[in-house]
Amino acid sequence: MERTDLKEKFMLDPAVHFLNHGSFGACPKEVLAAFHDWAERSERQPVLFYMRQFQDLMKTARAALARFVGTETDRLVYIPNATHGVNLIARSIPLSRGDEVLMTDHEYGACENVWALRCAETGAELRKAAVPVPYRSGGELRDRILESVGARTRVIFLSHISSPTALTFPVAEIARFARSRGIILAVDGAHAPGQLELDLDDLGADFYTGNCHKWMCAPKGSAFLAVAPEWVNRVEPNVISWGTGPNLENTIGNRLIDGNEWLGTQGPFPALSVPAAIDFLERNDWRAVRAGCRELLTRGLNEVNRLFGFEPVYPDERAYVQLGTAELPAHWRAAELNAYLYDRFAVEIPIIRWNGRNFVRISIQGYNQDEDIDALIAGLKSYGEMNAMK
Ligand SMILES: Cc1ncc(COP(=O)(O)O)c(C=O)c1O
């Protein structure tokens, strides 16, 4: 399928060069139509929908997602977003004084907050492994993490694909190591489902939270938490409802699902639309689409690197799929550049300040085209020239 045909399947404003799928995703028209259908169906007979059909509908939606990410229907639950997932994980792992939670210096700020507060509350210590970029191999990423593991490390918390830098961490290798040492591995897969082919059971993390509303193109508010079998009945819910406590209703004896699927009345429509999103990806041969995205992303990263003379962040193009970063001059003002690109070039793209350096984070989804990269390069060139004249 031509990229122009794919673009028409999305709602995106044609006047904008949308190179920031990574922040909130974008939902195709037909998937959004499924979302509206669910909402309308619920309004025709709300009691029938919520009291008699909800549980079965959710189970069907869980089954479709479980197949897609390679786990079992009853080891995964829908949640609103990955932030929610990280909160669930941090609440469920018993921590005490002297324990250490290890993460990298590439984690998403809100999720780092979750662990910082959980550590403050329990007396555990938060430790960060520095993982420098550019890097030369996946082995280097692994080594930087493993050499920071100590005798007190109880949890490793790791992004599958990092937010500020778009590094893909070797989760399977870290999982094998963690298991051999009795360390709990919790993965923030906010950007992974839809970009990476996942087989969560094979990956072997204790906890894995992922978003469907980013790279799977599902409606916003669709995400999941998947856990290893030994954690299914040890997940502490963020909200107490009918699935937890003395007044139980409609429970199935699975704490992960009982405690998280029904959290009081709210529209389950994003989750129920995930099968439509999976169907959309499959019908449009997303494996091929992703390969095309990687090609266009490679062109963008190479051109930015050539423009400003920085080394590529990645060892080669197998290190990313649809999300990638390239370095920019450190003295530039990120917020100013972001506004400049949008106001003058209609380019929507994040400029990320990380460890005192600047990076442009390029997202390429099926709807992006060469002209989006052309506009980005023109905008960066123009900003660079303006800065040189100052
Ligand atoms: C690595 C990472 N984790 C977590 C999140 C939070 O996702 P959400 O806003 O869907 O909770 C993001 C958002 O961009 C992210 O990049």
Side-chain angles (χ1 to χ4, degrees):
M1 172 157 322
E2 291 298 320
R3 303 186 79 80
T4 40
D5 297 335
L6 272 178
K7 189 166 181 173
E8 280 164 18
K9 291 180 182 285
F10 286 79
M11 317 277 299
L12 291 163
D13 181 348
V16 174
H17 297 288
F18 194 71
L19 290 166
N20 189 5
H21 190 91
S23 284
F24 305 108
C27 186
K29 292 171 189 167
E30 60 200 83
V31 179
L32 207 61
F35 170 91
H36 289 134
D37 286 348
W38 284 116
E40 283 172 27
R41 175 169 161 179
S42 79
E43 293 301 337
R44 279 199 290 275
Q45 219 292 39
V47 176
L48 173 69
F49 184 82
Y50 285 107
M51 292 197 67
R52 295 185 215 118
Q53 297 179 335
F54 173 82
Q55 247 178 341
D56 283 346
L57 292 174
M58 291 303 285
K59 186 171 181 181
T60 303
R62 265 192 284 119
L65 179 59
R67 256 194 317 277
F68 187 76
V69 298
T71 189
E72 287 166 27
T73 307
D74 292 344
R75 283 209 273 119
L76 159 151
V77 70
Y78 280 105
I79 54 176
N81 51 54
T83 305
H84 195 101
V86 176
N87 275 271
L88 281 171
I89 296 167
R91 285 167 66 85
S92 301
I93 298 175
L95 287 173
S96 46
R97 190 166 299 283
D99 289 339
E100 194 176 86
V101 175
L102 177 66
M103 59 176 59
T104 72
D105 57 349
H106 295 251
E107 301 311 327
Y108 185 69
C111 299
E112 189 179 324
N113 285 347
V114 175
W115 289 105
L117 296 188
R118 179 78 177 130
C119 285
E121 175 185 288
T122 56
E125 212 172 292
L126 190 58
R127 180 164 171 188
K128 275 196 206 175
V131 179
V133 293
Y135 72 100
R136 274 160 201 80
S137 70
E140 199 175 304
L141 300 182
R142 176 200 59 213
D143 292 347
R144 292 295 86 78
I145 295 168
L146 297 193
E147 69 197 19
S148 300
V149 171
R152 297 187 299 132
T153 306
R154 175 145 172 79
V155 179
I156 299 176
F157 172 68
L158 188 61
S159 287
H160 202 163
I161 300 176
S162 63
S163 170
T165 44
L167 304 192
T168 301
F169 282 97
V171 169
E173 273 185 274
I174 306 275
R176 276 196 293 280
F177 170 86
R179 230 149 242 258
S180 74
R181 293 281 203 96
I183 296 169
I184 298 161
L185 176 63
V187 180
D188 173 358
H191 288 281
Q195 266 201 86
L196 305 177
E197 304 266 340
L198 292 177
D199 184 340
L200 293 186
D201 286 355
D202 189 51
L203 206 61
D206 292 272
F207 294 90
Y208 193 106
T209 186
N211 277 332
C212 306
H213 52 222
K214 288 189 193 281
W215 297 94
M216 287 174 67
C217 299
K220 282 146 202 58
S222 56
F224 65 89
L225 172 67
V227 304
E230 61 269 31
W231 287 101
V232 167
N233 286 312
R234 290 154 71 196
V235 171
E236 288 301 320
N238 289 336
V239 172
I240 308 297
S241 181
W242 287 108
T244 317
N247 302 308
L248 300 178
E249 256 190 33
N250 291 330
T251 50
I252 57 170
N254 175 317
R255 195 174 166 88
L256 172 70
I257 292 157
D258 290 339
N260 293 288
E261 198 154 84
W262 180 266
L263 297 179
T265 311
Q266 55 183 355
F269 319 122
L272 293 177
S273 311
V274 166
I278 293 172
D279 191 46
F280 174 84
L281 300 181
E282 288 173 353
R283 267 186 297 106
N284 288 288
D285 191 6
W286 225 246
R287 197 183 282 247
V289 169
R290 277 196 302 254
C293 290
R294 175 186 266 154
E295 241 174 72
L296 184 53
L297 177 57
T298 300
R299 189 202 135 198
L301 295 174
N302 287 346
E303 290 196 22
V304 177
N305 289 329
R306 220 173 295 130
L307 208 51
F308 303 110
F310 288 100
E311 248 187 86
V313 165
Y314 309 97
D316 59 54
E317 67 180 49
R318 287 166 304 174
Y320 51 79
V321 186
Q322 293 169 281
L323 186 72
T325 53
E327 192 157 4
L328 299 175
H331 65 279
W332 285 4
R333 284 197 285 268
E336 181 186 89
L337 172 55
N338 174 263
Y340 186 88
L341 290 173
Y342 191 66
D343 295 343
R344 304 203 183 195
F345 290 84
V347 172
E348 184 64 83
I349 197 160
I351 307 298
I352 291 172
R353 190 92 191 142
W354 178 81
N355 283 0
R357 295 153 71 186
N358 285 323
F359 294 83
V360 59
R361 190 182 76 178
I362 307 178
S363 290
I364 301 291
Q365 188 47 289
Y367 48 75
N368 287 116
Q369 300 177 25
D370 275 304
E371 64 193 45
D372 298 323
I373 293 297
D374 296 342
L376 169 67
I377 298 301
L380 287 174
K381 233 187 227 171
S382 163
Y383 184 82
E385 284 161 8
M386 185 189 77
N387 255 268
M389 284 186 296
K390 269 190 188 166

